[in-house]
Amino acid sequence: MPKVIWKGHINFGLVNVPVRLYSATRKRKLDFHLIDKRDQSPVGYLKINKDTGREVRPEEVARAIEVDGEKVVVEDDDFEQAEAHTAQNIDIQHFVRREQINPAFFEKPYYLAPMEGAEKSYTLLREVIERTGRVGIAKVVLRKREHLAALMVQDNVVVLEMLRFADELRDPSELDLPAESAGDLGVTTDALEMATELVQRMTRDWKPDQYRDEYREELLELIEDKARRARAGTAEPSSQPEESRPTSGEPGTTEGADLTERLRQSIERGGGSLA
């Protein structure tokens, strides 16, 4: 059972749904330790006063925000006062269609489960979200920060997906993007038709379990092999790592006539990627 992160209420009009919040993700990264290579002693971090070079103890560290050139210390009481009226509420403000939300806004998912006695109101909210095909847009204060969030349903659970605010996303107009149409850039109708056929041939049902973090697995295998060799006093690897990922052909940019030929080759071999 995952740990409860937060307890509060979903406010849906005049309907109130008491819920518990759980993380919907788990960390799968490798935890590395900083050590002294000479004797493998752990290496720690020191907080240093940048003016005096003196070490600052944890109890001497404070948070501050600069206002008009002056640093203002922010105490725990300030956070608590700011959170007082919102800290335990997920206030649904609007409902929108899911397809209207740019995927770039999605940040991190959480699961919401009802508290005891709230099963009826929780089920009502879950069913109406599914029936209408809408997403609830809400505000929630979590970990001393206000978040924009989307309430949706996946596999019978209400999911609270944290969203980025609009000003947290860069404007793509800052990028050097081709503004011309495909035809203006010399992409032929033949190439478009073959690309469409390639997409159709490569289309499958979404099955997330078939995708793995192969880089992490291979790195962990190398680390475990290195540990075995250290214990056995063997310097060389027990075996050469095998190439596990398929290659996508010769490197380089696929343009012009080469684009059409690469598409044709990809279709003939039943799918693939353009290098």
Side-chain angles (χ1 to χ4, degrees):
M1 184 73 176
K3 180 181 177 181
V4 176
I5 295 175
W6 177 93
K7 294 180 181 179
H9 304 82
I10 301 174
N11 294 325
F12 167 41
L14 297 179
V15 178
N16 180 279
V17 188
V19 293
R20 297 185 179 95
L21 184 76
Y22 301 88
S23 176
T25 61
R26 56 184 175 187
K27 294 182 179 179
R28 297 283 291 164
K29 66 180 183 180
L30 298 175
D31 291 323
F32 294 97
H33 301 276
L34 294 179
I35 65 170
D36 188 325
K37 291 177 66 174
R38 297 167 294 181
D39 60 5
Q40 296 196 352
S41 298
V43 175
Y45 288 102
L46 294 179
K47 289 184 171 64
I48 302 296
N49 183 310
K50 293 183 178 180
D51 290 335
T52 66
R54 182 181 66 87
E55 180 182 352
V56 182
R57 296 192 302 272
E59 62 271 19
E60 297 174 323
V61 177
R63 289 165 294 199
I65 291 179
E66 189 168 316
V67 179
D68 296 330
E70 297 290 332
K71 293 184 176 66
V72 180
V73 174
V74 183
E75 307 286 357
D76 289 341
D77 290 345
D78 298 319
F79 287 106
E80 291 172 4
Q81 183 176 347
E83 294 175 6
H85 68 289
T86 58
Q88 300 306 119
N89 292 314
I90 299 173
D91 293 318
I92 298 179
Q93 302 187 350
H94 306 98
F95 284 90
V96 303
R97 293 194 298 275
R98 165 66 180 82
E99 61 272 16
Q100 289 183 313
I101 305 176
N102 183 335
F105 281 94
F106 292 115
E107 187 170 22
K108 182 179 175 68
Y110 292 88
Y111 291 146
L112 289 168
M115 293 187 191
E116 290 77 7
E119 292 82 4
K120 185 176 181 179
S121 56
Y122 179 91
T123 303
L124 170 67
L125 177 62
R126 183 183 65 195
E127 295 297 320
V128 76
I129 289 176
E130 285 196 303
R131 175 175 294 191
T132 60
R134 297 295 190 267
V135 170
I137 302 299
K139 290 281 195 71
V140 58
V141 174
L142 183 64
R143 292 171 175 163
K144 303 189 184 306
R145 178 190 165 195
E146 185 177 64
H147 298 265
L148 188 65
L151 283 138
M152 55 190 71
V153 176
Q154 179 68 42
D155 297 331
N156 215 36
V157 63
V158 178
V159 177
L160 184 76
E161 177 75 43
M162 295 302 185
L163 301 176
R164 297 179 176 91
F165 286 100
D167 60 3
E168 294 180 293
L169 290 177
R170 288 181 173 151
D171 189 342
S173 65
E174 299 173 10
L175 305 176
D176 185 15
L177 301 174
E180 297 85 357
S181 68
D184 292 338
L185 289 172
V187 179
T188 65
T189 302
D190 189 30
L192 282 171
E193 290 177 351
M194 283 193 290
T196 301
E197 182 180 348
L198 179 58
V199 169
Q200 291 171 341
R201 288 179 180 234
M202 295 178 66
T203 298
R204 302 288 186 275
D205 289 332
W206 168 241
K207 297 179 181 178
D209 291 343
Q210 69 181 341
Y211 304 101
R212 309 188 325 273
D213 185 348
E214 296 179 32
Y215 173 81
R216 176 184 177 276
E217 292 175 358
E218 291 175 9
L219 179 59
L220 185 58
E221 185 177 340
L222 288 171
I223 293 170
E224 291 172 346
D225 183 58
K226 192 172 184 178
R228 285 192 295 268
R229 287 186 282 112
R231 289 193 296 267
T234 306
E236 296 298 324
S238 56
S239 61
Q240 293 295 325
E242 297 180 1
E243 293 291 337
S244 60
R245 293 185 180 87
T247 59
S248 57
E250 295 298 322
T253 303
T254 308
E255 295 289 350
D258 184 47
L259 173 61
T260 304
E261 182 58 29
R262 294 292 291 280
L263 284 166
R264 182 177 291 107
Q265 292 175 6
S266 298
I267 292 171
E268 289 174 353
R269 71 179 187 181
S273 60
L274 299 179

